Amino acid sequence: MKLAEMTTVEVDQLSRDVVVVIPTGSLEQHGPHLPLFTDSILATAVSEAVERAIPDKVLLLPTVWMGASAHHQAFAGTVSASMAGYIAAVQDAVRAMTRHHFTKFFLINGHGGNVDPNGVALREIKAENPDLTVGASNYYTFCESEGEKLLRGPLKRIRHACEAETSLMLHVAPHLVRLDKAQDGGLVTSPETSGLILHFDEQTDVGSYGYPSYGTAQVGEALFNAAVTGLVRNLSAIYEGFVLVSRDEG
Amino acid sequence: MKLAEMTTVEVDQLSRDVVVVIPTGSLEQHGPHLPLFTDSILATAVSEAVERAIPDKVLLLPTVWMGASAHHQAFAGTVSASMAGYIAAVQDAVRAMTRHHFTKFFLINGHGGNVDPNGVALREIKAENPDLTVGASNYYTFCESEGEKLLRGPLKRIRHACEAETSLMLHVAPHLVRLDKAQDGGLVTSPETSGLILHFDEQTDVGSYGYPSYGTAQVGEALFNAAVTGLVRNLSAIYEGFVLVSRDEG
Amino acid sequence: MKLAEMTTVEVDQLSRDVVVVIPTGSLEQHGPHLPLFTDSILATAVSEAVERAIPDKVLLLPTVWMGASAHHQAFAGTVSASMAGYIAAVQDAVRAMTRHHFTKFFLINGHGGNVDPNGVALREIKAENPDLTVGASNYYTFCESEGEKLLRGPLKRIRHACEAETSLMLHVAPHLVRLDKAQDGGLVTSPETSGLILHFDEQTDVGSYGYPSYGTAQVGEALFNAAVTGLVRNLSAIYEGFVLVSRDEG
Amino acid sequence: MKLAEMTTVEVDQLSRDVVVVIPTGSLEQHGPHLPLFTDSILATAVSEAVERAIPDKVLLLPTVWMGASAHHQAFAGTVSASMAGYIAAVQDAVRAMTRHHFTKFFLINGHGGNVDPNGVALREIKAENPDLTVGASNYYTFCESEGEKLLRGPLKRIRHACEAETSLMLHVAPHLVRLDKAQDGGLVTSPETSGLILHFDEQTDVGSYGYPSYGTAQVGEALFNAAVTGLVRNLSAIYEGFVLVSRDEG
Amino acid sequence: MKLAEMTTVEVDQLSRDVVVVIPTGSLEQHGPHLPLFTDSILATAVSEAVERAIPDKVLLLPTVWMGASAHHQAFAGTVSASMAGYIAAVQDAVRAMTRHHFTKFFLINGHGGNVDPNGVALREIKAENPDLTVGASNYYTFCESEGEKLLRGPLKRIRHACEAETSLMLHVAPHLVRLDKAQDGGLVTSPETSGLILHFDEQTDVGSYGYPSYGTAQVGEALFNAAVTGLVRNLSAIYEGFVLVSRDEG
Amino acid sequence: MKLAEMTTVEVDQLSRDVVVVIPTGSLEQHGPHLPLFTDSILATAVSEAVERAIPDKVLLLPTVWMGASAHHQAFAGTVSASMAGYIAAVQDAVRAMTRHHFTKFFLINGHGGNVDPNGVALREIKAENPDLTVGASNYYTFCESEGEKLLRGPLKRIRHACEAETSLMLHVAPHLVRLDKAQDGGLVTSPETSGLILHFDEQTDVGSYGYPSYGTAQVGEALFNAAVTGLVRNLSAIYEGFVLVSRDEG
């Protein structure tokens, strides 16, 4: 179900076992070939496909579209939430729904910069109210193995405005892709380092990272389906109510 | 232009004279006949019509859809932002665009509860950066006089989930209106008082206020056009750059 | 009753039906002819007259004199509260009195810049504690119609350091008015615009707006009495406990 | 000079060597015999006497009357600021005046609970702007030695609603003192302890501490004059601009 | 170098190329066999070993020992920082050192719950000051592959109070390990889920997770050395100043 | 008992009558002869000696080492917490332990700049939860009279990096004292003033204040023992549970 389209009377009658799903995206530069709303478009599209697959198990909220994008702020058009503002948006949405007695929440995230504040936001919520079930995952976590198999360019992982995101956009919103403008690129540190937080203007002149020129709608569709399948399985498990059991190391 | 659909390269090339327009709405109960997203749908639809009318003069952002709706929180499904969260959303969007050297901002608001925090948000922005041009208006301010003429029920002003909002929704998104569920109503204090902040569950059992059963798409279209016309005139004046002149009391 | 002059024992014995009244003002420039404390002086004087009229119905607090005056900050002497600081002052006062089991609160405001943060402050209070009765009004709202009749200059509405405020000060604190220094003026945008937040140094060189030179104590007294009469009626209704009834559109 | 009574034009012309003086008080229980506003009344009266003595050296602001009084919150009528709200009030006042290029600030405090937040507030201000001269003192620090000599009851130090405060009020605002209601009392820990923060309802049933029944206007006048004399000397030193010299231990 | 032991004169003379290293730990339950300070002890020990290895390249600060441990709060003795408090601690330390013109910062983290707030803290710092080099890593990230080889129990990954942490403590602070009290355990969800944030009292009755009973000092030493080696390499790269180069996919 | 070294099981079994002791220090310049960690080293050493003296009566937490040191920020190496960050650290520690049902808290402070925020932190805690017993004291308060007797240089009071602190460090951590670098000094205002908040770079070029060159380990030991003795007596009184009794003025 989509909360936005329901009336208060209909919400009142819902089972409180449903998982409240909140897509989180961004409005940030995606190179010369993808629109600023790419992350929001993809997180929304995946979430809506999940909702279509299991409409009775999830209650979909509108997308929190203003992500934590300070690392892209050097590129024109990036609209980054402050950390406090982003965290408040996620928490306000969750707290409002707990007031109506919903207890299960899951963020479907489409933007890497949201991972840390999503964690902070949900950990605070869980500390306040330990009986809630809360979680978050990047949609693209569920298509990483598919990506390793299908991506044609040299970079097999999913990065920013890369072959994978370009492919997904060619599947979901092809009219917004300027494929002829795509530029491959992206720098790494030498010597190799671990753990550094770099801004995108340090890593690329054009804003994309990887090999968008290899993007195809066909690969995008496969990645998209993998994400939806994985999320449907995960949310169904949360909806049905998991139990905690001993690890079986056997 | 719609920022969400543009690339960073395109934004880079824009004139900084354009007015950055941010629609502000809500996700809150609208009685048994209108969807929770009503305010966001209407603010967005009006803003998009304005953008279509004067695309070179405005740069439209996505809608800040989580409004300040605590006065509706007793009704299931209402997702209210905290005041701090709402104000942060507006300010983050404005501050991000000032980083890219835009200087003119206007909020097109669709929800009464946002009026006070919009004022606080913009006054703080203006105090930080007095050279900016900032403003906000309810879209329905521009159709009030039309409403006085056209509304058929006993209440001639625009209230919550009333004849006017129902008419606008019948024009903009008729598939989301459950007109057969509409209930007229709404209470006032006796004796009459001024200045009180009442919650909606104090004023109405069903969540709507006024005479939604009188709503028609035809009236909705007239109100919609009045709002668009008024906003186009206002934003064009801001785009062109007004001057300050003596009041002519003659 | 005036809280400041009472002892804790006396407060303990009060009826909790009384309306706690908090005047809100400012310390900000009022042109070359009025003192910086004008808004606080007038809000206080009106509130004290209300308290004298219905002493058993209201419990008057000292004036929150540091208003939200950033739009006057370019003029020397203006002492503006931050929005957060102003909102905290109002909320702290209300919350402290709810701890002592008072439940009815009304702000008598004398400064336009406080309107938005008063709304935010009280809406948050009401959301936390929906059983409270809270409200706010500008004292000058109650003398607007009187002003339209009585004001002699070309501007018939009440603005900043204008004929009306000057007249009120000539009635309340004539020794603080430098009438010979008064300058008429004040600019408007051309073309006309709606919703913009302008700073006072954009609208006037001298800090006053309108026609203070027309001010008279006689008009001031009439405006003052109208404000007191309106507020007495409003606060009496709140004290007695209003009920909510159907609107009578008949 | 009193800022409240001045016009913006007059402030504009002031020397920036003057010391901006901000009285800080409270609205809190003072036992059965003194009004809630006692601390604010006394801090204000002392500050005004200082201003009358050296009008060209100080610029007096209105009193920050809502103090940090949580330790009195169990007694009806106490209106305590939150720590954040109180600190914001002090800082907002100082920051606003630095905007107008004043550089010397001194708080004349009348309430023990304000000491810690005054320190925090001014230390933050000084850290932001190390070139400012900032300071604070309780007015009663300057009459402690006089108190040791003159107080007639067994307690020779200045405490809450005690002989000294009662005497000061009998000097400054005798019409607000209910001397016949005064009750002597106040508890101490056994065994003796150091550093504990106790609330007043732990230390006294009636809210006063010490021997108010011994209060006289004559002693009050002597204490008052000692406070004014000490503050005049201190503020004159700040006004004239002290230098830093070696300690002379000889 | 260890900042705590240096004088201000010595710091003044340091090269600003050194990497400021801040260990981050926790004070939280670690089951019946490990002390509450385990994470802080280990992060500190690793960091001090790194400092001993490359003393001229790093400037070691004391450990931020109060971690974000709300997920352990159900167990007695856990002292969790609030998210805001933890983030402030990290940011205050970094900002203070930027005031002294240091530009390279790295957090050596010993507690999983700090990962998200470390990210938020550093991303805000980097957004404010994009010229800084900032990063963070868990020390145990650098011994994960060693763990997969050496750990003897069924769980080959590093979890809370598990075989790996127990082994490390047996190497670093054996007198604080109550190995005879160790209990193996830890639950997983069935069906399997991804992305949920569970509190430790949901996953284990005793507070440890995995197979601490398998812990040995020998394995601990190997893990410890792997962590130190990895961090020395990483910090040396940051000290020497990396460059950004094209990815070599060849 | 030292919380850091205990397991959760052991904490669970503790009496809740113990006083939770939190040392508070700083990492700030202490002139050319003392290490930056001086205040933290001393507060920790005193607190640990107290814990050794009465282990069953106190539960010692690790030291909050990042103090409020903005007044030293001009000297290299000073790492000052923000006021908000420092207050959060103290409050988070206390609140975490109240969750585990401890009710008595005492801060042993080693840094003058922490006095005001310690007061603010604890006053807020006490206001939230009036049943708690909370307090704070500088350890050096308990050796002031000993200092007046024993200090050999011209300054008999305990100041920053002075003879007393130097003596204490020669007793506690002689290997960290560069006594040959010590410089006597420190300026005062002329004319004398009261209540000003001065930064250390205004009062001394070298960062120390007073006569460190007179410092001896022997005097340090006597001061140390006086501090421990005083704190043991105070904490024992709090542990045993004081009562409130009438002041005996006889």
Side-chain angles (χ1 to χ4, degrees):
Chain A
M1 292 150 298
K2 290 175 148 176
L3 183 63
E5 299 184 355
M6 300 173 74
T7 66
T8 181
V9 175
E10 292 159 7
V11 177
D12 213 28
Q13 294 163 353
L14 275 188
S15 159
R16 263 51 182 173
D17 286 334
V18 298
V19 185
V20 175
V21 169
I22 308 173
T24 55
S26 78
L27 179 67
E28 76 185 16
Q29 74 84 14
H30 272 73
H33 68 295
L34 291 180
L36 295 160
F37 220 42
T38 292
D39 292 342
S40 293
I41 289 169
L42 292 178
T44 306
V46 167
S47 298
E48 290 183 342
V50 169
E51 190 273 333
R52 280 193 302 274
I54 47 172
D56 296 339
K57 299 182 182 175
V58 302
L59 179 58
L60 180 62
L61 261 68
T63 299
V64 173
W65 59 261
M66 205 189 319
S69 303
H71 48 309
H72 292 283
Q73 71 193 6
F75 291 91
T78 298
V79 175
S80 179
S82 61
M83 282 292 179
Y86 178 80
I87 289 170
V90 170
Q91 293 185 334
D92 285 352
V94 174
R95 289 193 185 115
M97 293 304 279
T98 62
R99 174 182 290 275
H100 306 308
H101 309 298
F102 294 92
T103 65
K104 299 175 180 178
F105 297 90
F106 205 83
L107 310 181
I108 297 182
N109 180 44
H111 167 53
N114 294 346
V115 172
D116 293 335
N118 278 349
V120 167
L122 293 183
R123 285 172 180 276
E124 286 190 324
I125 291 283
K126 177 84 176 173
E128 287 166 19
N129 192 344
D131 291 336
L132 297 181
T133 300
V134 301
S137 190
N138 304 323
Y139 76 81
Y140 47 81
T141 299
F142 294 96
C143 45
E144 274 172 359
S145 61
E146 201 73 7
E148 278 179 51
K149 281 187 295 189
L150 297 180
L151 292 171
R152 302 182 308 149
L155 178 64
K156 300 305 182 195
R157 286 178 302 143
I158 301 178
R159 298 291 299 268
H160 179 78
C162 63
E163 179 187 352
E165 276 199 345
T166 303
S167 298
L168 282 158
M169 283 296 285
L170 285 168
H171 172 58
V172 168
H175 62 293
L176 296 177
V177 182
R178 290 77 159 164
L179 196 55
D180 58 317
K181 300 272 173 63
Q183 295 189 33
D184 299 341
L187 307 177
V188 294
T189 65
S190 169
E192 197 184 348
T193 56
S194 171
L196 292 182
I197 296 175
L198 298 174
H199 277 193
F200 257 72
D201 52 315
E202 296 175 294
Q203 293 176 284
T204 158
D205 284 341
V206 296
S208 49
Y209 198 100
Y211 297 87
S213 67
Y214 290 79
T216 67
Q218 194 177 356
V219 167
E221 183 176 11
L223 296 175
F224 188 88
N225 291 340
V228 173
T229 302
L231 282 160
V232 162
R233 190 164 44 227
N234 205 46
L235 293 167
S236 295
I238 296 172
Y239 169 76
E240 277 143 27
F242 51 83
V243 290
L244 283 144
V245 298
S246 288
R247 308 178 75 253
D248 179 9
E249 316 289 348
Chain B
M1 294 148 298
K2 290 173 148 179
L3 183 63
E5 300 183 356
M6 299 173 74
T7 66
T8 180
V9 176
E10 293 159 7
V11 177
D12 214 28
Q13 293 162 354
L14 276 186
S15 159
R16 264 52 182 171
D17 286 336
V18 298
V19 185
V20 176
V21 170
I22 307 174
T24 55
S26 78
L27 180 66
E28 74 184 17
Q29 74 85 15
H30 271 74
H33 68 295
L34 290 180
L36 295 159
F37 220 42
T38 293
D39 292 343
S40 293
I41 289 168
L42 294 178
T44 306
V46 167
S47 298
E48 290 182 343
V50 169
E51 189 274 334
R52 280 193 300 274
I54 47 172
D56 296 339
K57 299 181 182 175
V58 301
L59 179 57
L60 180 62
L61 262 67
T63 300
V64 173
W65 58 261
M66 203 187 323
S69 302
H71 49 309
H72 293 283
Q73 70 193 7
F75 292 91
T78 298
V79 175
S80 178
S82 60
M83 283 292 179
Y86 178 79
I87 289 170
V90 170
Q91 292 184 335
D92 286 350
V94 174
R95 288 192 185 116
M97 294 303 280
T98 62
R99 176 181 289 275
H100 305 307
H101 310 298
F102 294 91
T103 64
K104 299 175 180 178
F105 297 90
F106 205 83
L107 310 181
I108 297 182
N109 179 44
H111 167 53
N114 294 345
V115 172
D116 293 335
N118 278 349
V120 168
L122 293 183
R123 285 172 180 276
E124 285 190 326
I125 291 283
K126 177 84 174 172
E128 286 166 19
N129 192 344
D131 292 336
L132 297 181
T133 301
V134 300
S137 190
N138 304 323
Y139 76 81
Y140 47 81
T141 299
F142 295 95
C143 45
E144 274 172 359
S145 62
E146 201 72 9
E148 279 179 50
K149 280 187 296 189
L150 296 181
L151 292 172
R152 304 181 309 147
L155 179 64
K156 301 304 182 197
R157 284 177 305 143
I158 301 178
R159 298 290 299 267
H160 178 78
C162 62
E163 179 186 352
E165 276 199 346
T166 303
S167 298
L168 283 158
M169 283 296 284
L170 285 168
H171 172 59
V172 168
H175 62 295
L176 295 177
V177 182
R178 291 76 158 165
L179 197 55
D180 57 317
K181 300 271 173 64
Q183 295 188 34
D184 298 342
L187 306 176
V188 294
T189 66
S190 169
E192 196 184 351
T193 56
S194 170
L196 291 182
I197 295 175
L198 298 174
H199 276 195
F200 257 71
D201 51 315
E202 297 176 293
Q203 293 177 284
T204 157
D205 284 340
V206 296
S208 48
Y209 198 101
Y211 299 86
S213 67
Y214 290 78
T216 66
Q218 194 177 357
V219 168
E221 184 176 10
L223 296 175
F224 187 88
N225 291 340
V228 173
T229 303
L231 282 159
V232 163
R233 189 165 45 228
N234 204 46
L235 293 168
S236 295
I238 296 171
Y239 169 76
E240 277 143 27
F242 52 83
V243 290
L244 283 144
V245 297
S246 288
R247 308 179 75 255
D248 178 9
E249 316 288 348
Chain C
M1 291 150 301
K2 289 174 149 176
L3 182 63
E5 300 184 356
M6 299 173 75
T7 66
T8 181
V9 175
E10 293 160 7
V11 177
D12 213 28
Q13 293 163 354
L14 277 186
S15 159
R16 264 51 183 172
D17 286 335
V18 298
V19 184
V20 176
V21 169
I22 308 174
T24 55
S26 78
L27 179 68
E28 75 184 16
Q29 73 84 15
H30 272 73
H33 68 295
L34 290 180
L36 295 160
F37 219 42
T38 292
D39 292 342
S40 293
I41 289 169
L42 293 177
T44 305
V46 167
S47 298
E48 290 182 343
V50 169
E51 189 273 335
R52 279 193 302 274
I54 46 171
D56 295 339
K57 299 182 182 174
V58 301
L59 179 57
L60 179 62
L61 261 67
T63 299
V64 173
W65 57 261
M66 204 187 323
S69 303
H71 49 309
H72 293 283
Q73 72 193 5
F75 291 90
T78 297
V79 175
S80 178
S82 61
M83 283 293 180
Y86 179 79
I87 289 170
V90 170
Q91 293 185 333
D92 285 350
V94 174
R95 288 191 186 118
M97 294 303 280
T98 62
R99 174 182 290 275
H100 306 307
H101 310 298
F102 293 91
T103 65
K104 299 175 180 179
F105 296 90
F106 204 83
L107 310 181
I108 297 182
N109 179 45
H111 168 53
N114 294 344
V115 171
D116 293 336
N118 278 349
V120 167
L122 293 183
R123 286 171 180 276
E124 286 190 324
I125 291 283
K126 177 85 175 171
E128 286 166 18
N129 191 344
D131 291 336
L132 297 181
T133 301
V134 300
S137 189
N138 304 325
Y139 77 81
Y140 46 81
T141 299
F142 295 94
C143 45
E144 275 172 358
S145 62
E146 200 72 8
E148 279 180 50
K149 282 188 294 188
L150 297 180
L151 292 171
R152 303 180 309 148
L155 178 64
K156 301 304 184 195
R157 285 177 304 141
I158 301 178
R159 298 290 300 268
H160 178 79
C162 63
E163 179 187 352
E165 275 199 346
T166 303
S167 296
L168 283 158
M169 283 297 283
L170 285 168
H171 171 59
V172 168
H175 63 292
L176 295 177
V177 182
R178 291 77 157 163
L179 196 55
D180 57 317
K181 300 273 172 61
Q183 294 188 34
D184 299 341
L187 307 176
V188 294
T189 66
S190 169
E192 198 184 349
T193 56
S194 171
L196 292 182
I197 295 175
L198 298 174
H199 276 194
F200 256 72
D201 51 315
E202 295 175 294
Q203 293 177 285
T204 158
D205 283 341
V206 296
S208 49
Y209 199 99
Y211 298 86
S213 68
Y214 289 79
T216 67
Q218 195 178 355
V219 167
E221 184 176 11
L223 295 174
F224 188 88
N225 290 340
V228 173
T229 302
L231 281 159
V232 163
R233 189 164 45 228
N234 204 46
L235 292 168
S236 295
I238 296 171
Y239 169 76
E240 278 144 27
F242 52 83
V243 290
L244 283 144
V245 298
S246 287
R247 308 177 76 254
D248 179 10
E249 317 288 350
Chain D
M1 293 149 297
K2 291 173 148 178
L3 182 63
E5 300 184 356
M6 300 173 74
T7 67
T8 182
V9 176
E10 293 158 7
V11 177
D12 214 28
Q13 294 162 354
L14 277 187
S15 159
R16 264 50 181 171
D17 286 334
V18 299
V19 185
V20 176
V21 169
I22 308 173
T24 55
S26 78
L27 179 67
E28 75 185 15
Q29 74 85 14
H30 271 74
H33 68 296
L34 291 180
L36 295 159
F37 219 41
T38 293
D39 291 343
S40 293
I41 289 169
L42 293 178
T44 306
V46 168
S47 298
E48 290 182 342
V50 168
E51 189 273 335
R52 280 192 302 274
I54 47 170
D56 296 340
K57 299 182 181 174
V58 301
L59 180 57
L60 180 62
L61 262 67
T63 299
V64 173
W65 58 261
M66 203 187 324
S69 302
H71 47 309
H72 292 283
Q73 71 194 6
F75 292 90
T78 297
V79 175
S80 179
S82 61
M83 283 293 179
Y86 178 79
I87 290 170
V90 170
Q91 293 184 333
D92 285 350
V94 174
R95 288 192 185 115
M97 293 303 280
T98 62
R99 175 182 290 275
H100 306 308
H101 310 298
F102 293 91
T103 65
K104 299 174 180 178
F105 296 90
F106 204 83
L107 310 181
I108 296 182
N109 179 44
H111 167 54
N114 294 345
V115 172
D116 292 336
N118 278 350
V120 168
L122 293 183
R123 285 172 180 276
E124 286 190 324
I125 292 283
K126 177 85 176 172
E128 287 167 18
N129 191 345
D131 291 336
L132 297 181
T133 301
V134 301
S137 189
N138 304 323
Y139 75 82
Y140 47 81
T141 299
F142 295 96
C143 45
E144 274 173 356
S145 62
E146 201 73 8
E148 278 180 48
K149 281 186 295 186
L150 296 180
L151 292 171
R152 302 182 309 150
L155 179 63
K156 301 305 182 194
R157 286 177 303 143
I158 301 178
R159 298 290 299 267
H160 179 78
C162 63
E163 180 187 351
E165 277 199 344
T166 304
S167 298
L168 284 158
M169 283 296 285
L170 286 168
H171 172 59
V172 169
H175 63 294
L176 295 177
V177 182
R178 291 76 157 165
L179 196 55
D180 57 316
K181 299 273 172 63
Q183 294 188 34
D184 298 341
L187 306 177
V188 293
T189 66
S190 170
E192 198 183 348
T193 55
S194 171
L196 292 182
I197 296 175
L198 298 174
H199 276 194
F200 257 71
D201 50 316
E202 296 175 294
Q203 293 176 285
T204 160
D205 284 341
V206 296
S208 49
Y209 197 101
Y211 298 86
S213 68
Y214 289 78
T216 67
Q218 194 178 357
V219 168
E221 183 177 11
L223 296 175
F224 188 89
N225 290 341
V228 173
T229 302
L231 281 159
V232 163
R233 191 166 41 228
N234 204 46
L235 293 168
S236 295
I238 296 171
Y239 170 76
E240 277 143 27
F242 52 83
V243 290
L244 283 144
V245 298
S246 288
R247 308 178 75 253
D248 179 7
E249 316 288 348
Chain E
M1 291 150 298
K2 291 175 147 176
L3 182 63
E5 300 184 355
M6 299 173 75
T7 66
T8 182
V9 175
E10 293 160 5
V11 177
D12 214 28
Q13 294 162 354
L14 278 187
S15 159
R16 265 48 182 172
D17 286 334
V18 299
V19 184
V20 176
V21 169
I22 307 174
T24 55
S26 77
L27 179 67
E28 75 184 15
Q29 74 86 12
H30 271 74
H33 69 295
L34 290 181
L36 295 160
F37 220 42
T38 293
D39 292 343
S40 293
I41 289 169
L42 293 178
T44 306
V46 167
S47 298
E48 290 183 343
V50 169
E51 188 273 336
R52 280 193 302 274
I54 47 172
D56 295 340
K57 299 183 181 174
V58 301
L59 179 57
L60 180 62
L61 261 67
T63 299
V64 173
W65 58 262
M66 204 187 324
S69 303
H71 48 309
H72 293 283
Q73 69 193 8
F75 292 91
T78 298
V79 175
S80 179
S82 61
M83 283 293 180
Y86 178 80
I87 289 170
V90 170
Q91 292 184 334
D92 285 350
V94 174
R95 288 190 186 119
M97 294 303 282
T98 61
R99 175 181 291 273
H100 306 306
H101 310 298
F102 293 92
T103 64
K104 300 176 179 177
F105 297 90
F106 204 84
L107 310 181
I108 296 182
N109 179 45
H111 167 53
N114 294 345
V115 171
D116 293 336
N118 279 348
V120 168
L122 293 183
R123 285 172 180 275
E124 286 190 325
I125 292 282
K126 177 84 175 171
E128 287 167 18
N129 191 344
D131 291 335
L132 297 181
T133 301
V134 300
S137 189
N138 304 324
Y139 76 82
Y140 47 82
T141 300
F142 294 95
C143 44
E144 275 172 358
S145 62
E146 201 72 8
E148 278 179 50
K149 281 186 294 187
L150 296 181
L151 292 172
R152 301 182 309 149
L155 179 64
K156 301 306 183 195
R157 285 177 305 143
I158 300 178
R159 299 290 299 268
H160 178 77
C162 63
E163 180 187 351
E165 275 198 346
T166 304
S167 296
L168 283 158
M169 283 296 283
L170 285 168
H171 172 59
V172 168
H175 62 294
L176 296 176
V177 182
R178 291 77 157 164
L179 196 56
D180 57 317
K181 300 273 172 63
Q183 294 188 36
D184 298 342
L187 307 176
V188 294
T189 66
S190 170
E192 198 183 348
T193 56
S194 171
L196 292 182
I197 295 176
L198 298 174
H199 276 194
F200 257 72
D201 51 314
E202 296 176 293
Q203 292 176 284
T204 159
D205 284 341
V206 296
S208 49
Y209 198 100
Y211 298 87
S213 68
Y214 289 79
T216 67
Q218 196 177 354
V219 167
E221 184 177 10
L223 296 174
F224 187 89
N225 291 340
V228 173
T229 302
L231 282 160
V232 163
R233 190 164 43 229
N234 204 46
L235 293 168
S236 295
I238 297 171
Y239 169 77
E240 276 143 28
F242 52 83
V243 291
L244 283 143
V245 297
S246 288
R247 306 177 77 252
D248 179 9
E249 315 289 349
Chain F
M1 292 149 299
K2 290 174 147 177
L3 182 63
E5 300 184 356
M6 300 173 75
T7 67
T8 182
V9 175
E10 293 158 5
V11 177
D12 214 28
Q13 294 163 354
L14 276 187
S15 159
R16 265 49 182 171
D17 286 336
V18 299
V19 184
V20 175
V21 169
I22 307 174
T24 55
S26 77
L27 179 67
E28 75 184 17
Q29 73 85 14
H30 271 73
H33 68 295
L34 291 180
L36 295 159
F37 220 41
T38 293
D39 291 344
S40 293
I41 289 169
L42 293 177
T44 305
V46 167
S47 299
E48 290 183 342
V50 169
E51 189 275 333
R52 280 193 302 274
I54 47 171
D56 295 340
K57 300 182 180 174
V58 302
L59 179 57
L60 180 61
L61 261 68
T63 299
V64 173
W65 59 260
M66 204 188 322
S69 303
H71 48 309
H72 293 283
Q73 72 193 6
F75 292 89
T78 297
V79 174
S80 179
S82 61
M83 283 292 179
Y86 178 79
I87 289 170
V90 170
Q91 293 185 333
D92 286 350
V94 174
R95 287 191 186 117
M97 293 303 280
T98 62
R99 174 181 290 275
H100 305 308
H101 310 298
F102 293 91
T103 65
K104 300 174 179 177
F105 297 89
F106 205 83
L107 310 181
I108 296 182
N109 178 44
H111 168 53
N114 294 345
V115 171
D116 292 337
N118 279 349
V120 167
L122 293 183
R123 285 172 180 276
E124 286 190 323
I125 291 283
K126 177 85 176 171
E128 287 167 18
N129 191 344
D131 292 336
L132 297 181
T133 301
V134 301
S137 190
N138 304 323
Y139 75 82
Y140 47 80
T141 300
F142 295 95
C143 45
E144 274 173 357
S145 62
E146 201 72 8
E148 279 179 49
K149 280 187 295 188
L150 296 181
L151 292 171
R152 302 181 310 148
L155 178 64
K156 301 305 184 194
R157 286 178 303 142
I158 301 178
R159 299 290 300 268
H160 178 79
C162 63
E163 179 187 352
E165 277 199 345
T166 304
S167 296
L168 283 158
M169 283 296 284
L170 286 168
H171 172 58
V172 168
H175 63 295
L176 296 176
V177 182
R178 290 77 158 165
L179 196 56
D180 57 316
K181 301 273 172 64
Q183 294 188 36
D184 299 341
L187 307 177
V188 294
T189 66
S190 170
E192 198 184 347
T193 56
S194 171
L196 291 183
I197 294 175
L198 298 174
H199 276 194
F200 256 71
D201 51 314
E202 296 175 294
Q203 293 177 284
T204 159
D205 284 340
V206 295
S208 48
Y209 198 100
Y211 297 86
S213 68
Y214 290 78
T216 67
Q218 194 178 356
V219 167
E221 184 176 9
L223 296 175
F224 188 88
N225 290 340
V228 172
T229 302
L231 282 160
V232 163
R233 190 165 43 229
N234 204 46
L235 293 168
S236 294
I238 296 171
Y239 169 76
E240 277 143 27
F242 51 82
V243 290
L244 283 144
V245 298
S246 288
R247 308 178 75 252
D248 178 10
E249 316 289 349

